[in-house]
Amino acid sequence: MTIRELRSESFGTCLLLLLPEDVFAATSRFLSPSDICNLSLCCKSLCDLVDTEKIWFVQCELVKALPLSDIVRWRIGISSYKALCRFLVEVVKPLVGVWVHQEPELGNVVYVMPGFLSVVGCRIIPQKVGPLGIEEGQVMWSPVFEIICDLDGSTKFFLHGRGGEGSCVYPGFVTGIDKTCNVLSLEVVPRREKKLCIETKSGVPFQKLDDSDRRNLLEVVTNNVGLNVLGPLSGKLFPTRREDEGMLLERRTMLLKMHKFGKNWKHMNLEEDGLCYNPTQVDMAGYCASPGVNRRSFLSAGDTFGLSLKASYTERSSYKGWPRMDLNRFFLHKLPIKSPGDDQEHAGLWGGTFGWPPGRCNEDETAKAFYILMLSYEESKKSNGKRLVGTKILEGNDFVQHPNGTAMFVVDIDTPSLEPFPFDADGRDFKHSYRGKGISNGYGFRYPGTKPGSLYVISGDHLAFVWHETKDVFTLKRLDLDQIMKKGIGLWVPPLPPVKNFTYMETSFTNVFTKS
């Protein structure tokens, strides 16, 4: 074929059309999903070329939000790989991670992970672990929310909570997910169901309302849209074995019907037309007369109101990796957990207990308090080097000793420690040791002091910090919450009432998540 022929009208100006499908699929690995979408807008021929299952399967793989085997399994319940890619890019990739709130002080950690054609938020309950440790023992967790992927890749939001008759789900909507989001907010959003002849001004945003108004509105909506959870809907939010897929597909169908038909879902099919009203929305006509200018302005913006999950990015400062947060907002804050790298090999999520050897209880102990720490690096102002900071995000004691966000230890990784390990190494080899300081009793609950100690690197995924004076040992192991949860040996704990279940904003120094 000559250059003249390539330029002929039959081929146009696009040489991509001449590539075999397999070659173009391989080439598409260098393109993003948005690049593929832009190509499809160029002409009908390109649209036909890129809008294939093979091309979008490659894009699903490149998002790196799911293992390849899970991508193939998820395709069963969705219309196309293109729709699946949409859900992976817009929902799974931005939300997966560890989210926290300051209250209660014992630890409020919500781990967001892929479910089955869904994203699920699971609260890791403050707990103690036996000799087998967290990876072999039961992990206590409680459901917080789910985002279900519909057939076309769109989303359906469900808040979990406890109602008068047991566990419930509260349907709502996802109103926006920023790809760099670091704040999750639970809100009430207005919707205009009826068309008005005159234009109406937009009301005061939900976040501009008073604290009491925000809480009251959330409670009114959840009281009206809540649906009792049946057996197949509780406890199993993600697959723990291959045989779970059929049950999870059935569960997803139930949830989609509940979102579409509300309390009438049992007698309906998804293919049927929706109801004459929206079961996820609440008429608040009786609340418009309530006092408060801002509240009246907010209620005037719609004739029905529903629950909303919003994921946004907000500039914020932090201390030792712990975000500074507004304690009066129904927010969860994403922790900036880094993956280990060449210059930050210990960064990431770690689990730990006090005592040596690791995982062995004393004669008078049946279990030890389990801690989750975020290890991160920061610049040292004194030595112009790097410091490794172990920030506590969960504590498993019956009564909290130090607040969330406390630095359990800070270590100068450029300063070797000459202190020998004070106990029998139990056959373990120590690769490195660094000098630093660990938390101790100081100026009260919020202002702990520090005392000298050393961090010993046993291997790439085992660490031990020792306080020089007391010889207390805090042992840590790298934590993979996703794999631990999917082992299927966790202990499901009933959720709190819905509004508290998303963000518990009351100061408490005991474990509020197991009172139920």
Side-chain angles (χ1 to χ4, degrees):
M1 185 175 292
T2 65
I3 299 298
R4 183 182 299 274
E5 289 174 325
L6 286 176
R7 290 175 178 173
S8 66
E9 186 176 351
S10 60
F11 291 103
T13 58
C14 185
L15 302 182
L16 290 175
L17 299 175
L18 301 178
L19 294 175
E21 185 179 359
D22 291 340
V23 175
F24 183 74
T27 306
S28 68
R29 290 184 172 275
F30 299 95
L31 304 176
S32 68
S34 59
D35 293 332
I36 299 294
C37 290
N38 290 334
L39 277 175
S40 68
L41 298 175
C42 294
C43 64
K44 185 179 184 303
S45 299
L46 269 180
C47 181
D48 294 338
L49 176 66
V50 301
D51 199 15
T52 64
E53 287 287 88
K54 186 174 291 186
I55 297 299
W56 285 106
F57 174 77
V58 170
Q59 291 301 310
C60 288
E61 184 183 0
L62 292 177
V63 175
K64 299 187 183 302
L66 286 178
L68 192 60
S69 58
D70 287 349
I71 292 174
V72 175
R73 294 191 190 105
W74 282 31
R75 175 63 180 86
I76 298 172
I78 201 167
S79 60
S80 65
Y81 278 120
K82 182 179 181 179
L84 177 57
C85 189
R86 172 188 174 188
F87 186 73
L88 296 179
V89 170
E90 296 180 357
V91 181
V92 180
K93 189 77 171 180
L95 293 186
V96 166
V98 177
W99 300 76
V100 296
H101 191 269
Q102 183 65 40
E103 306 292 1
E105 294 287 3
L106 198 61
N108 191 346
V109 176
V110 176
Y111 181 60
V112 178
M113 60 182 285
F116 183 74
L117 285 165
S118 64
V119 166
V120 298
C122 304
R123 176 168 284 110
I124 308 300
I125 305 297
Q127 57 200 277
K128 294 185 178 182
V129 294
L132 295 178
I134 194 71
E135 294 194 340
E136 301 299 333
Q138 286 192 327
V139 181
M140 291 193 296
W141 63 276
S142 183
V144 178
F145 67 85
E146 288 181 84
I147 300 176
I148 304 295
C149 179
D150 208 338
L151 293 174
D152 60 354
S154 60
T155 57
K156 299 290 185 287
F157 167 66
F158 290 89
L159 175 67
H160 282 259
R162 189 177 72 245
E165 299 181 7
S167 294
C168 296
V169 291
Y170 304 83
F173 296 91
V174 178
T175 54
I177 298 178
D178 191 299
K179 290 184 179 179
T180 58
C181 60
N182 59 2
V183 174
L184 269 181
S185 58
L186 182 66
E187 302 181 359
V188 170
V189 292
R191 177 167 293 192
R192 184 68 65 184
E193 302 286 349
K194 304 171 186 177
K195 292 185 178 180
L196 302 178
C197 297
I198 58 174
E199 292 186 6
T200 57
K201 296 181 179 179
S202 59
V204 172
F206 181 76
Q207 295 300 339
K208 296 291 185 181
L209 297 174
D210 294 337
D211 301 342
S212 59
D213 285 341
R214 291 196 301 272
R215 184 183 295 274
N216 289 338
L217 288 169
L218 285 169
E219 289 179 349
V220 168
V221 173
T222 53
N223 287 339
N224 282 274
V225 302
L227 300 166
N228 289 329
V229 172
L230 302 177
L233 293 172
S234 63
K236 202 75 167 178
L237 278 68
F238 42 83
T240 56
R241 52 183 183 170
R242 186 66 180 267
E243 294 77 13
D244 292 339
E245 291 178 15
M247 185 273 292
L248 287 170
L249 277 172
E250 179 185 359
R251 180 182 184 277
R252 172 173 169 263
T253 300
M254 289 182 181
L255 287 172
L256 291 175
K257 289 165 65 175
M258 294 170 83
H259 200 281
K260 186 174 183 179
F261 302 112
K263 296 178 181 179
N264 301 308
W265 70 273
K266 294 181 185 178
H267 312 291
M268 309 293 283
N269 294 317
L270 275 177
E271 295 75 18
E272 297 182 57
D273 293 334
L275 304 174
C276 59
Y277 65 94
N278 191 333
T280 66
Q281 299 296 111
V282 178
D283 185 353
M284 290 193 176
Y287 295 88
C288 290
S290 54
V293 175
N294 284 349
R295 184 169 178 172
R296 287 200 301 271
S297 173
F298 174 79
L299 293 173
S300 68
D303 43 42
T304 61
F305 298 80
L307 281 181
S308 162
L309 183 75
K310 183 178 180 181
S312 57
Y313 176 80
T314 303
E315 288 288 345
R316 64 186 181 185
S317 59
S318 61
Y319 179 73
K320 305 297 183 187
W322 184 259
R324 301 184 189 274
M325 57 188 74
D326 186 344
L327 301 185
N328 295 319
R329 305 281 174 177
F330 292 94
F331 288 168
L332 290 172
H333 298 261
K334 193 173 190 179
L335 287 182
I337 297 177
K338 303 292 186 181
S339 299
D342 294 337
D343 58 339
Q344 298 187 0
E345 67 171 307
H346 302 306
L349 204 63
W350 295 70
T353 57
F354 278 92
W356 183 266
R360 191 174 299 175
C361 297
N362 297 329
E363 294 181 358
D364 57 341
E365 289 181 317
T366 57
K368 293 181 178 182
F370 177 67
Y371 291 77
I372 296 181
L373 271 65
M374 175 182 69
L375 267 59
S376 59
Y377 289 78
E378 65 177 24
E379 298 296 326
S380 174
K381 296 179 180 179
K382 294 182 178 179
S383 62
N384 294 324
K386 287 186 177 181
R387 301 196 301 179
L388 179 64
V389 181
T391 304
K392 187 205 81 171
I393 63 175
L394 184 78
E395 179 178 338
N397 284 304
D398 296 326
F399 190 84
V400 66
Q401 297 180 354
H402 301 292
N404 291 337
T406 297
M408 293 292 288
F409 57 81
V410 178
V411 174
D412 293 312
I413 61 172
D414 297 319
T415 308
S417 174
L418 301 180
E419 291 285 332
F421 191 74
F423 301 103
D424 181 3
D426 202 27
R428 295 174 173 84
D429 294 325
F430 296 99
K431 297 169 59 178
H432 307 287
S433 61
Y434 306 108
R435 193 171 65 192
K437 293 182 178 180
I439 194 170
S440 68
N441 294 329
Y443 303 100
F445 176 69
R446 289 201 172 274
Y447 303 97
T450 58
K451 290 187 177 180
S454 297
L455 180 72
Y456 298 87
V457 179
I458 304 171
S459 64
D461 60 354
H462 276 85
L463 304 173
F465 186 87
V466 180
W467 281 259
H468 294 165
E469 181 179 337
T470 61
K471 307 302 180 187
D472 290 331
V473 183
F474 185 60
T475 57
L476 299 104
K477 186 176 182 181
R478 193 176 290 280
L479 203 58
D480 187 339
L481 281 177
D482 191 82
Q483 291 301 315
I484 292 173
M485 298 290 284
K486 288 185 176 180
K487 282 184 178 180
I489 55 177
L491 182 63
W492 182 83
V493 176
L496 298 173
V499 179
K500 284 186 176 181
N501 195 46
F502 185 82
T503 305
Y504 192 94
M505 295 197 299
E506 300 173 14
T507 300
S508 176
F509 305 100
T510 58
N511 193 344
V512 302
F513 301 115
T514 55
K515 289 182 180 179
S516 58

